[in-house]
Amino acid sequence: MHDHAPLFSAYDKDAEVIPVYCVDPRQFGTMRLGLPKTGSFRAKFLIEALRDLRLRLIDLGAQLHILYGKPEEVLPDFLRAVEADALYFSEEITSEEVAVEKAVEAAAWKAGVATESFWQQTLFHISDLPFPVGQTPEVFTQFRKECEKFSKIRPAYPAPDELYYPFPDVPKGDIPTLAVLGLEEPEVSDRGVLVFEGGEGPALARLQTYFWENDCLKVYKETRNGLLGADYSSKFSPWLALGCISPRYIYEEVARYEKERKKNQSTYWLVFELIWRDYFKFIAKKHGNKIFWLQGIKPNAEKWQRNEALFQRWVEGQTGIPFVDANMRELAETGFMSNRGRQNVASFLVNDLNIDWRWGASYFESVLIDYDVCSNWGNWMYVAGVGNDPRENRYFAILKQAKNYDAKGDYVRHWVPELAALPGYDIQKPFDLPPGTLKKYGISLGGHYPHPMVKMRAIY
Ligand SMILES: Cc1cc2nc3c(=O)[nH]c(=O)nc-3n(C[C@H](O)[C@H](O)[C@H](O)COP(=O)(O)OP(=O)(O)OC[C@H]3O[C@@H](n4cnc5c(N)ncnc54)[C@H](O)[C@@H]3O)c2cc1C
């Protein structure tokens, strides 16, 4: 409800408002490799968010109407039935969503209903960029510096305090269930970093806990590369991705924290990360469908292999490289993985296995609870060397990374319990240990834990 440009504009005009959400079957189909387009973690999160939204709208004297079907097919009848004058929606960036917007606009026009779209999602409004979006700098630092110097972040819109809603007799429609969406209830893992619950209420509660109760913002820069526990990073991403919390609202809360508690490098760094998020959105807007191409935004495609058996071992966390396996198992069991983990497993897939990076991006798209089309494909392009990384041939030396970020092996011990007996850093490289040591700890490589798929580059 907060910082919702279409809703606030309608409220501000004292217009009658009828909020609608369409459950579009295209979001629940399958894609590359037969993967569900929306996996059950994200679908559950969406259902929770709809429930929360309905309750919030009821509090404002309104209702959330749920329609099933393609918006361009189901909206016109609905608009006619409620005699709508205008349809307000928020503007999207990537091609599938933009195609739906265009189809909806055409259908609304035929039904005699005006449409108006609103830019939201980003910290910097697209109209306030200091360059045309088509000239967004390819290097992040340049993008950030220009935005910081020449643009201002607009204030977040407040949430309306009540809505003018004279539609009590219009059928409201049921909130979907996972079964209706063709998905199974995911098991809630007690090993995950956080139990993510969809909706604006849980999003605001998470900010309250992370910033104000646990006072973590002042140490964010030092903790953000962590792997275990709720508070090494904000965990705002699933709520940001679905629009349950706005980046401008977070920005304002950072400013308030800086005034009331502490201002330091860490408080700035959270905003810095939100600028990364903006950057990938404007890069996607600039490059269109290229972000989904094998060669990305580079002129030539390199040679990539498409080996499903190798890919599957990566997916299942059975590569024989404990740091990779721990991260992949966390993702499969919870729908979440840290930023450090994402960089490492992505690099392993593209640099060590040389597998088509789009397979990895598609798997993330399916499973991530915080899937965001621009952040996901932008980051994957970046790691795969076909995007905006100014450094050529960036390579994450997994064992070195494991040494820097999980030196005692606690993270691997958490997710790869079959190796738990191995002490300290030894757990990161069972393949380098003498047979006698492995035997002493009851580890059988090729038995209950696999041999490594590739020989790791010995940088550690
Ligand atoms: C291969 C790969 C795929 C990724 N896919 C996604 C995705 O689908 N959705 C997604 O939200 N993030 C994605 N990220 C970015 C990042 O890993 C997550 O945003 C972050 O781990 C979420 O945890 P957090 O909210 O605790 O982050 P924090 O560290 O607390 O950061 C705060 C916010 O800043 C933004 N942010 C932080 N890092 C990045 C980044 N590298 N790129 C863009 N935004 C960032 C996020 O919105 C995040 O919630 C991906 C990164 C990689 C390397």
Side-chain angles (χ1 to χ4, degrees):
M1 311 295 291
H2 71 276
D3 205 13
H4 193 309
L7 184 67
F8 188 81
S9 302
Y11 161 80
D12 207 32
K13 286 178 189 145
D14 285 329
E16 295 175 3
V17 176
I18 182 155
V20 189
Y21 182 87
C22 293
V23 181
D24 186 336
R26 287 168 293 202
Q27 291 296 318
F28 302 94
T30 48
M31 52 177 186
R32 178 183 280 130
L33 300 160
L35 291 164
K37 194 162 171 62
T38 303
S40 53
F41 293 117
R42 197 161 70 253
K44 179 168 181 281
F45 190 83
L46 167 67
I47 291 167
E48 292 160 354
L50 290 174
R51 230 178 261 140
D52 179 86
L53 183 57
R54 177 166 272 174
L55 290 177
R56 282 169 181 264
L57 285 166
I58 291 171
D59 268 356
L60 299 187
Q63 179 54 268
L64 177 66
H65 293 263
I66 304 211
L67 304 180
Y68 287 79
K70 296 179 181 171
E72 63 271 32
E73 291 173 5
V74 294
L75 271 174
D77 284 347
F78 183 82
L79 295 171
R80 272 191 219 101
V82 300
E83 298 178 359
D85 296 324
L87 175 68
Y88 285 11
F89 58 90
S90 73
E91 194 177 328
E92 290 290 336
I93 298 166
T94 39
S95 58
E96 285 176 9
E97 292 78 8
V98 171
V100 174
E101 279 177 9
K102 290 206 170 121
V104 166
E105 278 172 334
W109 185 81
K110 274 195 197 150
V113 177
T115 55
E116 196 172 334
S117 68
F118 295 78
W119 181 266
Q120 352 195 67
Q121 298 190 30
T122 50
L123 211 46
F124 294 102
H125 194 283
I126 191 166
S127 311
D128 299 339
L129 291 177
F131 33 74
V133 70
Q135 286 170 32
T136 298
E138 294 299 341
V139 176
F140 170 72
T141 307
Q142 193 190 340
F143 168 83
R144 176 181 61 78
K145 286 189 171 160
E146 288 192 28
C147 288
E148 286 176 336
K149 193 159 175 203
F150 301 114
S151 291
K152 273 217 152 50
I153 294 168
R154 297 182 186 186
Y157 292 107
D161 46 15
E162 74 176 322
L163 291 172
Y164 181 25
Y165 171 82
F167 304 100
D169 299 328
V170 178
K172 61 184 171 68
D174 292 333
I175 290 178
T177 59
L178 284 166
V180 163
L181 302 176
L183 294 162
E184 297 203 348
E185 185 78 31
E187 270 181 43
V188 179
S189 167
D190 56 6
R191 293 197 286 180
V193 286
L194 197 68
V195 177
F196 291 100
E197 190 189 340
E200 182 180 21
L204 300 181
R206 171 64 191 158
L207 187 143
Q208 182 65 21
T209 306
Y210 184 73
F211 280 19
W212 300 104
E213 283 157 27
N214 296 353
D215 211 9
C216 297
L217 183 56
K218 63 177 189 232
V219 289
Y220 168 72
K221 191 161 183 252
E222 289 91 69
T223 59
R224 60 179 287 275
N225 280 306
L227 300 160
L228 282 169
D231 285 347
Y232 63 79
S233 65
S234 73
K235 312 293 186 305
F236 292 156
S237 55
W239 291 288
L240 276 164
L242 196 57
C244 303
I245 196 166
S246 121
R248 296 193 296 208
Y249 173 80
I250 298 173
Y251 176 76
E252 288 173 1
E253 284 292 287
V254 171
R256 185 161 78 89
Y257 183 97
E258 288 178 335
K259 221 163 137 196
E260 293 178 15
R261 293 262 171 98
K262 194 169 185 73
K263 180 176 175 160
N264 62 15
Q265 284 255 319
S266 281
T267 56
Y268 167 68
W269 216 259
L270 194 85
V271 176
F272 176 96
E273 294 301 336
L274 289 174
I275 301 177
W276 267 107
R277 179 176 172 276
D278 269 25
Y279 169 67
F280 284 122
K281 291 201 185 292
F282 293 121
I283 283 290
K285 178 105 181 137
K286 172 178 179 180
H287 290 290
N289 273 347
K290 281 188 185 171
I291 67 164
F292 306 117
W293 292 359
L294 189 60
Q295 69 266 38
I297 59 171
K298 294 275 156 79
N300 299 311
E302 288 174 26
K303 284 223 160 49
W304 298 87
Q305 65 162 329
R306 295 188 190 91
N307 181 319
E308 284 199 40
L310 296 185
F311 178 70
Q312 206 50 35
R313 284 184 63 179
W314 177 79
V315 164
E316 287 168 11
Q318 294 291 341
T319 67
I321 317 297
F323 194 59
V324 173
D325 291 343
N327 277 289
M328 293 306 292
R329 292 182 193 188
E330 179 183 5
L331 177 60
E333 194 170 311
T334 69
F336 188 82
M337 190 196 289
S338 69
N339 185 56
R340 184 55 45 190
R342 294 181 205 205
Q343 290 175 318
N344 274 277
V345 301
S347 169
F348 181 78
L349 188 82
V350 303
N351 293 318
D352 293 300
L353 300 182
N354 205 31
I355 286 181
D356 186 340
W357 66 273
R358 297 169 308 168
W359 285 20
S362 297
Y363 177 66
F364 271 33
E365 173 169 350
S366 181
V367 185
L368 276 177
I369 195 165
D370 64 11
Y371 172 66
D372 171 304
V373 54
C374 305
S375 289
N376 188 58
W377 290 82
N379 271 291
W380 269 97
M381 277 204 305
Y382 198 96
V383 177
V386 298
N388 303 83
D389 190 352
R391 222 166 86 183
E392 290 279 317
N393 303 323
R394 189 184 294 264
Y395 175 73
F396 283 82
I398 306 287
L399 296 176
K400 187 160 182 276
Q401 291 273 317
K403 185 152 216 165
N404 289 345
Y405 299 104
D406 189 29
K408 293 187 192 143
D410 292 340
Y411 177 70
V412 167
R413 219 160 274 119
H414 190 75
W415 288 104
V416 191
E418 63 269 39
L419 298 179
L422 288 174
Y425 180 70
D426 279 357
I427 197 171
Q428 305 285 2
K429 48 181 184 76
F431 38 81
D432 275 355
L433 299 178
T437 309
L438 288 174
K439 202 167 167 205
K440 179 175 151 203
Y441 291 107
I443 311 287
S444 140
L445 287 190
H448 66 296
Y449 188 72
H451 286 291
M453 291 171 72
V454 286
K455 191 164 165 40
M456 293 315 298
R457 294 190 208 173
I459 319 172
Y460 53 90

